[in-house]
Structure formats: C-alpha cells, structure tokens
Amino acid sequence: MHKPQMPSDAELHALAQVVAEALTLRSQTMVAAESCTGGWIAKTLTDLPGSSNWFECGVVAYSYEAKEALLGVNPHTLEHAGAVSQETAVEMVSGALARFGAAVAVAVTGIAGPSGGTDDKPVGTVWIAWKRRGGYARAELFHFDGDREAVRRQTVAQALAGVRKILTD
C-alpha cells in the first residue's frame, strides 16, 4: 500500500517519455486497459510525437459488460471479487495482452470518487496490474488521497512507473 505525491503534468510527461524510450529501444509496443483513468494513460502516452511506433492501443472499460467483452474478464470474477480487485486487474491486463499484439500491458481499476467507495474499498482504492508477454502478471494495491482528479493523476503516474520498471528490470 503506497501513498505517492500528486504528480504534475510535467512529471507525467517525463514518465511517458521514459516509457517511450524503453519501448523504442526494445522495438516493443504496449497496450493500456483502463477503467478509473478513463483513457488518461493512453492520452499521456499518445501526447508524445511518434507514439504510433510503440503504443498499440488503449481500452477504456468501465462497465462489467465492457470488461467482459473487451478484455475477457470472467463474469464470475466480477460478481465475486468485484471490479476493483486484484483478480479483475490481473484478468484485465492478461486479456489486453491476449487480444492485442503488444509486448507489455498495464491495467487499472479503482474508485476515483467522489462517490462509489465502501468501508472495504474507500474512494482512492486502486489496483494496478502489469504484464509482459510470456510473463506473469503483477498487481499492486494503492490507496490514493485527494479528489477525483488527484486519484486519477496518481494512478496514471504509478501505472507508467510500473511499466518503466518492468521494461528496465
């Protein structure tokens, strides 16, 4: 469980640049499967010129039905673990890699607020999962502070930092 500081636009841009360089160096592409960020990861990455060389696509799947249809999340997982769970994040990232030709994927699912939180999963609860093609998914739980934008901004930063980590480790 981490509580990172809220990143600026410049910091998000810098993280995206590092990811872009790492993907380009390896001649690899990536895909983003997003729920609570609503496409912000894809936007941050595609703000960079030349992103079509290393960014394959982004899938924004908010509803259970979209998670099932677009990313192959099992309805049983959604019903029993919920959309904001380690299991769902792992199925989202695995489904993104299975459906698209990318080498790396990131998936995010969480509660950005201001409503939707529960005692078990308060606003700011976010699961992020990363996976390389042929590897195992890794998922991490975060509890972010702040309003809706703050939660989403921190999620984007942590998602990109995790992609950087799996590309450079």
Side-chain angles (χ1 to χ4, degrees), residues 30-160:
M30 72 166 283
V31 60
E34 302 184 62
S35 187
C36 62
T37 49
W40 198 340
I41 296 168
K43 183 218 180 295
T44 300
L45 292 169
T46 60
D47 279 348
L48 300 176
S51 56
S52 61
N53 293 321
W54 47 265
F55 185 75
E56 186 157 331
C57 70
V59 175
V60 177
Y62 255 62
S63 71
Y64 279 22
E65 294 79 12
K67 286 177 177 68
E68 293 168 24
L70 299 174
L71 297 168
V73 176
N74 189 313
H76 181 80
T77 301
L78 292 165
E79 185 177 325
H80 294 283
V84 180
S85 65
Q86 179 178 8
E87 297 86 345
T88 296
V90 166
E91 289 185 24
M92 286 173 68
V93 78
S94 296
L97 276 184
R99 282 162 171 68
F100 304 102
V104 178
V106 62
V108 298
T109 184
I111 304 164
S115 61
T118 65
D119 288 342
D120 289 345
K121 297 177 185 177
V123 169
T125 301
V126 177
W127 278 98
I128 305 177
W130 302 269
K131 187 174 180 181
R132 293 181 73 131
R133 183 163 302 285
Y136 293 101
R138 180 176 73 83
E140 196 169 340
L141 175 62
F142 295 87
H143 293 283
F144 298 122
D145 291 324
D147 62 11
R148 183 174 181 82
E149 180 177 345
V151 169
R152 292 169 54 147
R153 184 177 286 276
Q154 292 169 86
T155 301
V156 172
Q158 288 302 311
L160 292 175

